[in-house]
Amino acid sequence: MSQWDQLQMDTKVTQILNVQSHEPGHHFGRPFLTPYQIAISFQQRFPQDFQTIGKPVGGKGTGQQDSLAQYIALELSKRIKDRKITNIEGRFLHRANLHSLEYEVNNQIIESSSIQAYDLSMFRLID
């Protein structure tokens, strides 16, 4: 059994993605979250599991190639493609003319490390 399955990550990520639009009932539906937002929320909600996984949230300057944000994005992508996850959808935010994305966690700023190289994945629950 994979670590993802052992930690019941499908359920935990679903809980994290269970957010509503700033305007309830808007025709766009639920908002998307980036892997960084998911990873930050995971760290805050599930600190023991965060420690078990043993990866930093991610971002520029972590000094580590693999991060929790990358792990979550890769696992979600694989599981959505294989139809193991059917209640979450993924999309890309195009990187054209995008300079940076920054996230705040514990009074620290995390800057997305993938902006210049890749389109940024994002995920949401399917209504």
Side-chain angles (χ1 to χ4, degrees), residues 90-109:
R91 295 288 184 265
F92 284 120
L93 176 63
H94 195 273
R95 69 181 185 268
N97 304 316
L98 187 59
H99 182 265
S100 70
L101 284 175
E102 295 179 336
Y103 308 89
E104 184 178 354
V105 59
N106 301 327
N107 296 319
Q108 255 188 310
I109 300 297

Side-chain angles (χ1 to χ4, degrees), residues 16 20 24 69 73 96 117 123:
I16 291 167
Q20 299 300 318
F123 301 92

Side-chain angles (χ1 to χ4, degrees), residues 4 7-20 30-31 33 38 41-42 45-46 72 76 80 84-89 123-126:
W4 183 274
L7 295 176
Q8 300 176 322
M9 293 293 288
D10 288 358
T11 300
K12 290 171 179 158
V13 170
T14 296
Q15 291 173 14
I16 291 167
L17 291 175
N18 190 16
V19 296
Q20 299 300 318
R30 292 180 189 270
L33 277 75
I38 298 168
S41 185
F42 183 85
R45 291 186 189 193
F46 308 105
I72 289 170
L76 286 175
I80 290 168
K84 291 179 181 175
I85 293 178
T86 57
N87 64 329
I88 296 172
E89 67 177 330
F123 301 92
R124 72 174 177 181
L125 286 181
I126 297 172

Side-chain angles (χ1 to χ4, degrees), residues 28-77:
F28 281 2
R30 292 180 189 270
F32 286 89
L33 277 75
T34 69
Y36 289 95
Q37 290 170 305
I38 298 168
I40 291 165
S41 185
F42 183 85
Q43 178 189 27
Q44 293 169 339
R45 291 186 189 193
F46 308 105
Q48 291 297 122
D49 293 337
F50 176 76
Q51 291 296 323
T52 298
I53 292 172
K55 297 177 185 293
V57 168
K60 280 187 177 179
T62 61
Q64 191 169 329
Q65 288 293 354
D66 61 335
S67 68
L68 181 60
Q70 287 175 316
Y71 173 65
I72 289 170
L74 288 171
E75 288 296 324
L76 286 175
S77 177

